[in-house]
Amino acid sequence: MKIESVELLRVGMPLVSPFRTSFGTQTLRDVLLVRVITPEAEGWAECVAMADPLYSSEYAGAAHRVMADHLLPRLFAAGGEVTAAAVAPALAPVRGHRMAKAAVEAAVLDAELKAAGVPLSRHLGATQSHIVSGVSVGIHESVPELLNTVGGYLTDGYARIKLKIEPGWDIEPVAAVRKHFGDDILLQADANSAYTRADARHLAGLDPYGLLLLEQPLEEEDVAGHAELARLLTTPICLDESIVSAQAAHEAIRIGACAIVNIKPGRVGGYLEARRVHDVCAAAGVPVWAGGMLETGIGRAANLALAGLPNFTLPSDISGSDRYYRQDLTEPFRVTDGTIPVPDAPGIGVAPIPEVLDQLVTQRETLRPTG
Ligand code: NPQ
Ligand code: MG
């Protein structure tokens, strides 16, 4: 396939309500889109880096610059001739910047699959046509307000609730949600690395509440700490931020740092590496589930395809479009009977609605192969 040009677009997506996590409160999603234009087809992808480097060291402004200055020149090195499988090797000399690399690869992959008429789900080897939909619930001002929000999501049909926690907002909200909604709801918690090893005894206070898992309690680099913590808790430990590659997943599992893995393609450098993470976990008997980064319909569509792989056996963080956005960039994704269907059209199966994109776009830049 020959790339004619790549367009980088910045889009400002207002959230339906503020989303507070242990690393801050978000009210607007600063989305970086990648559009790959070839004579046969056009590919779209979304970079999941946030506006600020709070979830990880990557952020949208840096992802934009590294794409324009380092990744796209390498992609264009063969005069624009490229295959999706060759993208990661071509970008490998650049260290880190996995979210940026993931988006470049995903846009090429979408163009390639749209040209070939093959859905991403089929290309990746998905076996599930509907993905069980969970929802991530931010830190609230009070327990009554939290119960009201959770009740609304259960009414919407979400099959699993994830509570964001931090020191000072952990045991009490978990206990209250368990007591109010009963033992049957699927419940888990995500700390986004807000604790230290010294908090082990305190975190063991979550054990009586039957959580499916506790996600990333300690910092990204402290994989050994998670192994230590796992021995002190009965609640299964799941890693998110720490799992930056299939290699990292293999090592974390080997030392007993996690019993479950959250898979986000952006965090591991692409959908092809994400499939390798899936495979490493499957071989070790470790179940996985699809994470979420407040994606628009572009990222959400691709995540649904990946989440169809057989070892994705726990409910996803892939929610309906209306959980985050009043107006999505694509046709909205809806939750029915607690699931969202995997798109079955070629590539990611969707593209931005031109009028919506024009309305929300804040910046566009076009880059071309030279010669
Ligand atoms: C997680 N996602 O699992 C992340 C964290 C997260 C759905 O909980 C803007 C962009 C805001 C990315 C807030 C969920 C975000 C973001 C939270 C990612 O850890
Ligand atoms: Mg997480």
Side-chain angles (χ1 to χ4, degrees):
M1 206 174 55
K2 193 169 167 63
I3 297 176
E4 285 175 349
S5 61
V6 174
E7 192 177 11
L8 302 179
L9 304 91
R10 298 288 282 277
V11 183
M13 301 280 294
L15 296 175
V16 291
S17 56
F19 187 41
R20 180 171 161 202
T21 67
S22 62
F23 55 76
T25 304
Q26 312 298 314
T27 55
L28 183 84
R29 186 74 171 95
D30 180 354
V31 179
L32 167 59
L33 295 176
V34 181
R35 178 191 191 186
V36 165
I37 297 169
T38 78
E40 298 83 26
E42 186 173 298
W44 286 92
E46 171 171 356
C47 178
V48 298
M50 332 174 30
D52 303 295
L54 303 176
Y55 164 84
S56 83
S57 61
E58 291 193 74
Y59 64 100
H64 189 156
R65 288 274 27 106
V66 81
M67 283 182 197
D69 295 342
H70 299 282
L71 304 183
L72 297 178
R74 286 175 187 275
L75 188 73
F76 294 154
E81 260 321 313
V82 71
T83 64
V87 172
L91 304 184
V94 175
R95 306 282 179 191
H97 296 282
R98 290 182 174 87
M99 294 176 182
K101 290 174 177 176
V104 171
E105 181 195 72
V108 172
L109 186 55
D110 184 40
E112 193 170 284
L113 295 174
K114 277 176 170 150
V118 175
L120 178 60
S121 58
R122 193 198 305 163
H123 177 76
L124 293 174
T127 54
Q128 313 181 68
S129 65
H130 290 73
I131 304 306
V132 178
S133 184
V135 63
S136 181
V137 183
I139 293 164
H140 279 54
E141 286 297 316
S142 71
V143 167
E145 287 168 85
L146 173 70
L147 295 178
N148 184 53
T149 298
V150 170
Y153 289 138
L154 292 171
T155 302
D156 291 342
Y158 285 105
R160 184 271 284 147
I161 300 293
K162 165 167 132 180
L163 301 182
K164 289 293 197 179
I165 61 168
E166 67 180 3
W169 180 264
D170 43 33
I171 315 290
E172 190 192 357
V174 167
V177 168
R178 181 55 87 202
K179 180 154 185 276
H180 195 265
F181 297 102
D183 288 342
D184 288 347
I185 70 159
L186 301 181
L187 187 63
Q188 64 194 51
D190 185 359
N192 288 112
S193 71
Y195 296 87
T196 70
R197 296 187 194 198
D199 297 314
R201 279 170 59 93
H202 177 71
L203 290 171
L206 293 169
D207 284 342
Y209 302 105
L211 299 182
L212 288 171
L213 58 90
L214 170 60
E215 186 178 343
Q216 196 73 39
L218 311 179
E219 68 180 68
E220 181 178 324
E221 292 79 7
D222 195 11
V223 177
H226 285 95
E228 194 174 288
L229 187 63
R231 291 194 287 274
L232 300 171
L233 267 58
T234 60
T235 305
I237 301 294
C238 169
L239 289 177
D240 173 357
E241 287 90 330
S242 296
I243 305 300
V244 297
S245 64
Q247 170 82 27
H250 180 80
E251 296 296 331
I253 292 166
R254 189 175 62 76
I255 70 165
C258 60
I260 300 168
V261 169
N262 164 318
I263 299 186
K264 292 174 177 172
R267 197 193 62 223
V268 303
Y271 284 86
L272 304 180
E273 181 71 5
R275 180 170 57 182
R276 287 191 282 273
V277 175
H278 165 275
D279 294 349
V280 159
C281 293
V286 168
V288 306
W289 56 285
M293 291 289 283
L294 283 57
E295 289 89 348
T296 71
I298 297 296
R300 193 179 310 268
N303 288 348
L304 285 164
L306 179 73
L309 294 183
N311 192 40
F312 280 83
T313 53
L314 286 163
S316 71
D317 259 354
I318 308 175
S319 305
S321 294
D322 65 358
R323 155 69 182 88
Y324 294 113
Y325 306 112
R326 215 159 64 79
Q327 170 71 64
D328 205 337
L329 285 179
T330 62
E331 290 303 321
F333 286 90
R334 292 198 175 82
V335 177
T336 315
D337 297 327
T339 70
I340 306 181
V342 176
D344 53 13
I348 63 171
V350 298
I353 300 166
E355 304 77 59
V356 176
L357 188 61
D358 286 344
Q359 212 175 358
L360 296 172
V361 74
T362 57
Q363 202 184 327
R364 321 175 87 117
E365 180 180 4
T366 299
L367 299 112
R368 290 190 174 78
T370 50

